[in-house]
Amino acid sequence: MKGNKIAVSLREISKSYGGSKILNNVSFNVWEGEFLVILGPSGCGKTTLLRILAGLDEQDSGDVLFYGQNVSGLPPRKRDLGVVFQEPSLFKHMTVSQNVGFGLKVKGVPKYQIVKQVSEILDMVGLSGFESRMPNSLSGGQQQRVALARALVLKPHLLLLDEPFSALDIKTRQKLRSDLKEIQQKFGITTIFVTHDQEEAFELGDRIVVMNSGKVEHIGTPEEIYDYPKTEFVASFIGTVNVIKSRVENGKVPLGLIPLELPPGSKFNEDDPVKVLIRPENIVVEKSIKKLKSEEITTGKILNMVLLGPMVRIKVSLGHGVSLISARPKAEVSEQKLKEGDKVFVYISKYSIFPEETEILITVPITKILKV
Amino acid sequence: MKEFKNGLIPYKVIDHAIKYSLVGLVTGFFLLLILFPLSSMFVYSSQGGLLGFISKITSPAALFSLKFSLIVAFSATLCNVAIGTIVAHVLTKYDFPGKKALDAFVDLPIAVPTAVAGFTLLLLYGPAGLFGKYFSERGITLMFAFPGILLAHIFITFPFVVRSVSAVLERLEKKYEEVARTLGASGFQTFIYVTLPSIKDGLLAGSILTFARSLGEFGATIMVSGNLAMRTQTAPLYIFSRFNTGDIQGASAVAVVLAVLSFSILYGLKYFMGESE
Ligand SMILES: Nc1ncnc2c1ncn2[C@@H]1O[C@H](COP(=O)(O)OP(=O)(O)OP(=O)(O)O)[C@@H](O)[C@H]1O
Ligand SMILES: [Mg+2]
């Protein structure tokens, strides 16, 4: 991976508040220089985990290791890290440069060095010339840049960010995101970034930790998580997905007329109830059968089509009460002159099968997709 | 205008009648209760002309009482800034059993009559009192001396700093202290650089209230001080004593100075509060 050293190691971290378990045996490693994103729905324990990493809260059990050293129980200032919270939390009575220089000042760094380092870091976050401004005269985006500079000026080994851009407008958010990534790479600083925004997670993360209800569901690169989700939750939380209930028959899973193969190594018994999850872009809709290569093909009928930017969302009925949402590039659709009511061939290029009884925590049911 | 139609007095007339009679009432109160007494004080104090006023105010006992009052008020303020900040900190930042009860006790000095407060201190710290005995056996006099007066003033003015600082602390978000800690600040550095600047306004407001209240304190002071001229006599006690001996002019002179001092403090506070908003 990134470096070959493990910078941060979480070992079976658990934490409860008032009898309810907020974190449940969370374990993972972060490589030196890696940009790791923790992604999960609101309330899944992301902030709690980050606060434990920072030393602002203490875990009930488990260990936090930085470069192999157990830092559990150490206060934040003994952990050599920088934190950026959702709100910039700039000290209101200090100028921008006093804010940024705060960490150096309490460390006893000489004044002339503080001035030099502060101006260097402000330059890097694009705020040269803002030294003597007061926080309340800055925009939200600028304030968050100052907060980032304030954390980075100490050259910490680890940077922790808790949804730092979620209160900003989309344009500012995107700009800050790419600037952060650039700065992170320049510094080579190990970074843990918490968000509930999958777009942000996919853009920033070298790897993504998907969390749900205090548990790690999947750790992997964005591609791994998107294409080969380990759990139904991961599949349904990330991107949009068709969820179809079925049952194992003769070692296959019938979907309309298509008998889908069970994934190799899966332990399903005959007649087990299952759920098939298929991403819209993995459903190919063609007018002629010649273009399709697999035998997992069925016929269907286009019920409706909606143009969504560069993609067209197509609802196809496969008969037997099954209909799917497909997403095809606009060019492909117009080339084939697809229209509502057309009889088409449908091919499913990729899918996942999960046992029926898995708890559906977040799913995107077909009816919901349709209303978009 | 269609007034007096149906033989009714229109609402507007009634409104006006109510408004002006209320304004008249308030003005009357103001004149009778505040302006007349205050101006008569000025009149009495200037009966001997400017020279008379100066000779009254520069008499050793008068000067002593004013100086002594300022020293007591200043010391009491200093003590309550320190104690009050700690109490406010404890009451807002920590959770512990009995916190609610403790919180309610903070306001007790406002509810207890000042003479009662002085009396209890006298019982406890007086030469024959439970604690006072211990000290007097070691040659330390608390009552009828500066320590006793200071103690009484600290007690009477105790709530002001606590309340004004906790009001600010309660609004002060924990996140600033957390940010400071993640930036490497110790608990003490966090307090000095982050917390203190934020509670500065509350601290100043509380101090001014404390100072003003202490300057005017009478009931508890007369109990614990023994009212000894040139030794334990504060300005309000001096006014009282002079008046009792028939020296109206002397009483008025110190009263005028004390009143002007208190007004300046009050308006200083108002000005300052307006500024900070
Ligand atoms: N100090 C606390 N006391 C009690 N409960 C808490 C405390 N901190 C967090 N919780 C609870 O723990 C759960 C997880 O909270 P946490 O803030 O870690 O979630 P999150 O994943 O960061 O959510 P969000 O995306 O909304 O920020 C929530 O149910 C929350 O109410
Ligand atoms: Mg959170």
Side-chain angles (χ1 to χ4, degrees), chain A residues 51 54-56 75-77 81-83 85 87 89-94 99 102-103 105-107 150-151 154, chain B residues 171-187 189-190 192-198 200:
Chain A
R51 290 177 59 85
L56 291 169
R77 69 197 160 96
L81 43 77
V83 186
F85 295 98
E87 306 94 52
S89 313
L90 300 181
F91 305 127
K92 289 177 193 137
H93 57 281
M94 297 184 197
N99 262 285
F102 181 83
K105 182 176 158 182
V106 296
K107 246 189 181 176
R150 182 172 62 177
L154 294 167
Chain B
R171 270 183 289 134
L172 188 70
E173 287 151 283
K174 207 171 90 194
K175 63 183 185 201
Y176 293 104
E177 285 166 16
E178 289 185 343
V179 167
R181 285 173 57 207
T182 65
L183 291 170
S186 65
Q189 286 172 321
T190 303
I192 296 294
Y193 294 126
V194 178
T195 314
L196 203 57
S198 324
K200 197 181 65 199

Side-chain angles (χ1 to χ4, degrees), chain A residues 122-175:
Chain A
L122 280 178
D123 193 36
M124 193 167 276
V125 299
L127 283 181
S128 286
F130 283 72
E131 281 81 355
S132 49
R133 293 274 288 270
M134 293 309 282
N136 61 10
S137 74
L138 302 178
S139 73
Q142 289 168 336
Q143 289 187 24
Q144 207 50 288
R145 283 173 191 273
V146 176
L148 184 63
R150 182 172 62 177
L152 285 175
V153 78
L154 294 167
K155 310 237 156 51
H157 273 113
L158 177 64
L159 181 63
L160 304 173
L161 304 105
D162 189 358
E163 312 203 22
F165 309 142
S166 62
L168 306 171
D169 63 85
I170 295 182
K171 278 264 164 60
T172 314
R173 203 185 309 166
Q174 281 167 346
K175 181 79 177 77

Side-chain angles (χ1 to χ4, degrees), chain A residues 17 22 40-49 86 162-163 194 196:
Chain A
Y17 279 120
I22 305 302
S42 189
C44 73
K46 305 182 296 290
T47 298
T48 307
L49 187 62
Q86 184 171 348
D162 189 358
E163 312 203 22
V194 158
H196 62 252

